[in-house]
Amino acid sequence: MTYCVGMIVDQGIVLMSDTRTNSGVDNISVFRKMFHWQVPGERMIAVMTAGNLATTQAVISQLEERTKQPEERETTLLNGPTMFSVVSEIGKLLHTTIDTQQKVNGDRGKGRFTASMIVAGQIAGMEPRLFMIYPEGNFIEASWDTPFFQIGETKYGRPILIRGYDRNMSFENAVKLLMVSFDSTLKANLSVGLPLDLLVIGKDSFAPTHQHRVTAEDPYFDTISSNWGDALRSAFHSLPDYSFGPETGTESGGG
């Protein structure tokens, strides 16, 4: 499984992904699920992937290949006029890849090659934008009403994001919030695992503002995990106790 989160704040965009892939408890591997490309001073684009590994790697490989084409040939990733056009092209590529793999594998391929993606970035002269692409190739865009997207194993980390998000929060607090969300997911689901990849994209920077790989030995993540557990227990015990009232016996029915 996978867990990836993309979040917009006033300062820009924060992205985090895990790296675990598994085909059973005895076949666990580490694969990067976050990728980015940049044209200095002009654009910064990042992609996170979830779903069938063969599908996502095929899409990323094709995107990488297109960035290495001769200069006289157009590539939407590096030359598209808007983020909308970039995401449209990635969506088409994802849908085509899934469709091709399913056709090659026939009935065995139905439902096996599904994948989804989060695309984030900024092109000069425009605002930073965040999108989520579905397996069908269509997509939706984040807004201040829906300021973050999750793909993969989303349910365990979502309540943390909903309660803690503030569009005015600093990058540092946004990273802290994502760390707590990922820690909650890691504790609840073995199919999501370290290392984690973190990427911060500052508005109008057109380059990574901060990148970091969070390993099992990361002191900050270890502190977050330990302190968050302690804080939850402390908050729980600070809540008022439930009372059964003066009568604790059960009522008996007549008859």
Side-chain angles (χ1 to χ4, degrees):
M1 199 56 174
T2 297
Y3 185 40
C4 301
V5 181
M7 176 186 295
I8 54 173
V9 293
D10 282 339
Q11 292 186 32
I13 301 172
V14 183
L15 307 171
M16 185 175 282
S17 67
D18 86 317
T19 56
R20 175 167 292 183
T21 63
N22 64 291
S23 300
V25 294
D26 59 346
N27 187 15
I28 297 174
S29 302
V30 172
F31 282 91
R32 180 175 290 275
K33 303 170 188 175
M34 181 188 295
F35 310 87
H36 71 270
W37 300 266
Q38 65 189 88
V39 177
E42 197 274 329
R43 72 181 56 204
M44 172 75 186
I45 296 170
V47 175
M48 294 189 293
T49 64
N52 178 266
L53 184 61
T55 301
T56 58
Q57 285 196 330
V59 173
I60 294 300
S61 294
Q62 291 179 74
L63 291 174
E64 287 277 12
E65 190 65 24
R66 292 180 183 187
T67 65
K68 299 172 184 176
Q69 293 175 344
E71 291 184 3
E72 63 270 14
R73 298 176 64 182
E74 290 294 315
T75 168
T76 302
L77 189 65
L78 299 183
N79 296 314
T82 65
M83 281 298 300
F84 185 90
S85 65
V86 170
V87 176
S88 296
E89 189 63 26
I90 296 174
K92 291 176 184 177
L93 182 56
L94 175 61
H95 176 68
T96 300
T97 302
I98 293 173
D99 189 54
T100 299
Q101 291 177 332
Q102 290 179 339
K103 286 179 180 178
V104 169
N105 288 272
D107 290 338
R108 295 177 303 164
K110 291 183 177 178
R112 292 181 55 201
F113 297 99
T114 186
S116 55
M117 296 183 168
I118 290 175
V119 180
Q122 184 182 13
I123 296 174
M126 306 175 196
E127 290 294 309
R129 300 174 75 177
L130 177 69
F131 300 84
M132 181 168 66
I133 305 177
Y134 296 100
E136 296 78 11
N138 55 338
F139 53 87
I140 57 175
E141 183 175 1
S143 66
W144 295 122
D145 291 324
T146 307
F148 62 85
F149 288 137
Q150 303 166 280
I151 53 177
E153 189 57 75
T154 62
K155 56 184 175 290
Y156 302 107
R158 184 174 179 80
I160 305 298
L161 301 177
I162 291 174
R163 287 179 177 270
Y165 175 81
D166 182 347
R167 64 176 289 181
N168 298 310
M169 67 198 318
S170 66
F171 275 145
E172 291 81 0
N173 280 338
V175 170
K176 180 164 61 175
L177 181 63
L178 291 189
M179 292 277 193
V180 174
S181 178
F182 271 78
D183 177 67
S184 300
T185 304
L186 291 170
K187 290 289 193 298
N189 195 305
L190 292 175
S191 68
V192 178
L194 296 165
L196 309 177
D197 286 319
L198 168 67
L199 177 64
V200 178
I201 306 173
K203 185 176 181 179
D204 297 328
S205 64
F206 308 112
T209 300
H210 178 71
Q211 303 180 249
H212 181 57
R213 171 156 281 199
V214 181
T215 67
E217 294 77 31
D218 189 284
Y220 180 73
F221 185 75
D222 184 63
T223 299
I224 287 292
S225 180
S226 176
N227 289 3
W228 178 246
D230 292 342
L232 282 177
R233 284 186 288 272
S234 177
F236 171 75
H237 289 299
S238 70
L239 296 173
D241 291 334
Y242 177 79
S243 173
F244 287 101
E247 296 182 4
T248 58
T250 58
E251 293 183 3
S252 59

